[in-house]
Amino acid sequence: HKNLGALLEVADQLRRQLLFVGVSEKNRGYWESRYPKARAVWLEHVPDEDLPAVMRNAFCLAQPSTAEGYGYPPMESMACGVPAVVSDIPVLKETTGGKGLFAGPHEPMSWAEAFQALEKRDLRQLKIEEGLRWVEPLRGRKAWEKHIQDITALLNLRGAPTGSPERF
């Protein structure tokens, strides 16, 4: 469901080299056997503390998934000031707030076109700014305020004692 073939299929048409992070050796072998000529760098693991530095130095994040539970990587990339190009599926539209660039999960050329569009300085800057604005309310303590309000409201509906969230 990670659908890396959508990217590997157009790798030779891209100005930039693909970097895959977090792909197991077994999965890497699978994809390399299917696309032996594709230019790509594979990192099986990047420690959590190093991931923001890797992300900040990327041209963009690409997530060609056909299905996701939530889709944190695009939000993380936007928080790092890196545009996200994601599959045109509901969950990734939701988690990016529509601020990413979208490509068809089964349309490799749409990925190449999205990457090419990001080469335009104005569009790239727009996507960076939109992404940063989208994730700003999700940073730090303020990110939890709405969740706490929702939980408190649910507890109050069930007859739980009212009061500040700290009591719970």
Side-chain angles (χ1 to χ4, degrees):
H1 74 276
K2 294 301 182 185
N3 198 30
L4 303 184
L7 304 178
L8 292 165
E9 190 167 317
V10 294
D12 63 334
Q13 300 170 37
L14 305 177
R15 284 187 55 195
R16 299 168 190 273
Q17 189 169 28
L18 296 171
L19 167 65
F20 293 105
V21 176
V23 179
S24 71
E25 189 174 332
K26 178 182 175 185
N27 285 340
R28 174 185 176 176
Y30 168 80
W31 290 112
E32 285 182 325
S33 71
R34 295 201 60 199
Y35 300 92
K37 296 181 181 180
R39 288 182 318 135
V41 173
W42 302 80
L43 298 177
E44 188 170 345
H45 176 76
V46 172
D48 288 344
E49 61 271 11
D50 295 336
L51 200 51
V54 171
M55 190 82 72
R56 278 189 213 101
N57 286 295
F59 173 70
C60 70
L61 172 119
Q63 189 162 351
S65 306
T66 57
E68 282 295 331
Y70 186 72
Y72 283 107
M75 292 172 57
E76 293 168 336
S77 76
M78 291 189 298
C80 290
V82 174
V85 180
V86 298
S87 282
D88 191 1
I89 59 175
V91 67
L92 294 178
K93 284 182 173 183
E94 179 183 347
T95 59
T96 62
K99 309 303 182 211
L101 285 177
F102 299 97
H106 304 292
E107 302 167 17
M109 281 310 298
S110 69
W111 291 88
E113 291 164 3
F115 299 144
Q116 185 177 11
L118 270 182
E119 294 288 351
K120 296 174 185 155
R121 185 182 216 67
D122 291 345
L123 178 63
R124 180 175 170 72
Q125 190 59 40
L126 174 67
K127 289 302 173 184
I128 289 170
E129 291 169 7
E130 286 180 344
L132 287 169
R133 277 194 305 274
W134 171 250
V135 298
E136 183 57 34
L138 306 173
R139 293 178 182 263
R141 184 174 284 254
K142 64 185 164 211
W144 291 101
E145 289 174 3
K146 179 75 171 108
H147 296 290
I148 291 170
Q149 290 170 0
D150 289 347
I151 291 168
T152 302
L154 286 171
L155 290 172
N156 289 337
L157 285 175
R158 296 176 189 248
T162 59
S164 67
E166 290 82 23
R167 290 182 53 197
F168 303 106

